[in-house]
Amino acid sequence: MRLTGVLISVLIFAATACISTDNKRDGASSGKTDDEEQTPVNIPEFNPDSAFHFVKQQTDFGPRVPNTKAHDKCADYLTQKMKGYADTVIVQKSKVRAYNNDILNIKNIISVFNPEKTKRILLGAHWDSRPYADHDPDKSVRWEPIQGANDGASGVGALMEIARVLSKNNPDVGVDIIFFDAEDYGPPESDQSNKQDTWGLGSQYWARNPHNFGYNAHYGILLDMVGAANAQFPKERFSTYYAPDVVDKVWSIADKAGYGKYFPDEEGGPINDDHYYINEIIGIPMINIIHLKTGSESGTFFKHWHTKEDTIDKISPQTLNVVGTVVLNVIYRE
Ligand code: AHN
Ligand code: ZN
């Protein structure tokens, strides 16, 4: 009895000593003071190969353009996979009118974790692919649809991996993951009529018709184009306008995790993306982690944006890992 007591005391002392030495060493090596250090919390691991696989599964269906077979099949795939991870999956079906008066049959796929929790984090990405490669250097393919490996599938793949991790390690907060449809059905570059609100049709629908009456979340994080090698995510302008505290939290966590090169402390331009409608219509502060060009680089987005070259071979498991790990840190530190 006495011996066990002594043994336990020794073990507790050893464990405490170990934690404090670790802190001291990290503090000394980085030259940072104690409160700049990340509080030690066990964060479950994001698996980059699993995330990559989820991206590839989507692109294997071909372009997921609304009103096509590939779109239907991919919706079923996403729904089935998420049913294996979440407490509840809601498929919100609707018809919306596109810029050219096409009626699109859309599905927002909503996965709910810990429905009883009132403090909730909303995560999102668009799962549809763009019907037009209107930025392709080859004019003859500009009316063809794109694979959308980075523009679409990367954000969804990262969130599917996060869903898998959540299913095995229950967090203290509620999490809702929404795959928004019809984000990328905006007018082609050649159409100069400049119509309003023709992008983000799925998120506009959800923001006006959330899956629960009175739905609210503490904040939201949208992922868009999070799969290119050496991607950079400067602070997108609508994010810093509507949700400055969330931007600070996420970029600070990224920096402390050693990912400051991916999350530079730089301003990016405003992007009319799904998070814009979540902020404007339903009033949830939501940021966008999106690959934008910085400084003197040409173009707004990654190199193969809205071209036939946005394919799976350009997807980097390392970039998916950086973004996924940052988001898991955010969730498990709440
Ligand atoms: C425009 O630049 C009009 N929309 C950006 C949102 C977007 C398109 N995200 C992916 N594809
Ligand atoms: Zn796009």
Side-chain angles (χ1 to χ4, degrees):
M1 235 6 222
R2 245 185 76 80
L3 193 64
T4 330
V6 170
L7 201 60
I8 287 171
S9 314
V10 168
L11 283 175
I12 289 173
F13 176 76
T16 341
C18 189
I19 289 169
S20 63
T21 345
D22 264 12
N23 274 348
K24 239 182 256 158
R25 177 164 32 79
D26 289 359
S29 65
S30 66
K32 286 176 179 168
T33 62
D34 274 357
D35 40 298
E36 279 175 286
E37 291 300 322
Q38 198 95 287
T39 329
V41 175
N42 268 333
I43 311 293
E45 264 187 47
F46 186 90
N47 182 330
D49 298 323
S50 168
F52 180 89
H53 171 78
F54 291 139
V55 178
K56 182 164 189 303
Q57 293 288 103
Q58 295 169 76
T59 56
D60 283 348
F61 289 109
R64 285 82 62 214
V65 175
N67 298 351
T68 67
K69 259 224 167 79
H71 184 265
D72 280 346
K73 283 189 181 161
C74 188
D76 291 344
Y77 163 73
L78 296 173
T79 307
Q80 285 320 307
K81 289 306 288 186
M82 294 305 271
K83 278 186 177 170
Y85 300 140
D87 291 304
T88 322
V89 178
I90 299 153
V91 180
Q92 181 179 57
K93 289 168 72 166
S94 183
K95 290 177 192 294
V96 295
R97 188 180 292 272
Y99 73 96
N100 57 358
N101 290 326
D102 279 358
I103 300 298
L104 308 179
N105 294 289
I106 64 160
K107 285 177 177 168
N108 291 321
I109 301 167
I110 303 154
S111 304
V112 181
F113 297 79
N114 291 342
E116 74 288 353
K117 302 269 186 188
T118 49
K119 182 172 182 182
R120 314 199 61 78
I121 300 177
L122 171 62
L123 305 175
H126 78 91
W127 73 272
D128 63 307
S129 15
R130 178 147 182 77
Y132 319 117
D134 51 345
H135 280 256
D136 203 288
D138 178 356
K139 278 188 183 165
S140 72
V141 302
R142 287 185 185 165
W143 289 97
E144 293 177 15
I146 66 167
Q147 279 287 328
N150 198 22
D151 189 356
S154 68
V156 171
L159 293 181
M160 291 173 80
E161 172 57 11
I162 285 168
R164 191 192 64 78
V165 171
L166 290 174
S167 75
K168 295 196 154 50
N169 309 269
N170 197 26
D172 291 341
V173 288
V175 178
D176 302 292
I177 299 182
I178 309 189
F179 299 152
F180 294 113
D181 204 349
E183 187 280 331
D184 231 347
Y185 214 101
E189 278 297 304
S190 58
D191 183 329
Q192 291 302 317
S193 53
N194 197 25
K195 298 179 188 81
Q196 292 296 300
D197 301 327
T198 50
W199 304 78
L201 299 177
S203 54
Q204 292 185 58
Y205 182 82
W206 178 81
R208 292 190 177 97
N209 307 277
H211 57 285
N212 293 333
F213 179 78
Y215 176 85
N216 201 1
H218 197 44
Y219 58 87
I221 303 176
L222 182 70
L223 305 183
D224 198 0
M225 317 189 212
V226 293
N230 305 309
Q232 288 218 309
F233 310 108
K235 299 169 174 175
E236 185 271 337
R237 188 66 189 110
F238 287 132
S239 307
T240 54
Y241 177 76
Y242 289 106
D245 299 352
V246 185
V247 171
D248 286 349
K249 183 202 291 268
V250 171
W251 264 255
S252 152
I253 282 177
D255 186 45
K256 287 173 180 169
Y259 298 142
K261 198 166 75 67
Y262 288 85
F263 288 79
D265 184 13
E266 280 180 59
E267 278 272 343
I271 303 299
N272 188 274
D273 210 337
D274 291 323
H275 71 311
Y276 173 77
Y277 296 107
I278 306 308
N279 281 295
E280 267 294 304
I281 299 172
I282 192 166
I284 295 167
M286 187 174 203
I287 66 158
N288 194 4
I289 298 178
I290 181 169
H291 184 166
L292 298 174
K293 294 285 179 66
T294 55
S296 60
E297 291 179 292
S298 69
T300 310
F301 304 110
F302 70 107
K303 185 169 170 215
H304 304 294
W305 183 67
H306 292 182
T307 76
K308 300 289 283 188
E309 295 303 311
D310 180 7
T311 46
I312 188 70
D313 53 300
K314 320 293 190 317
I315 296 298
S316 154
Q318 163 63 7
T319 304
L320 296 172
N321 188 48
V322 166
V323 174
T325 300
V326 168
V327 175
L328 286 178
N329 264 271
V330 173
I331 294 170
Y332 289 95
R333 285 174 188 287
E334 282 298 342

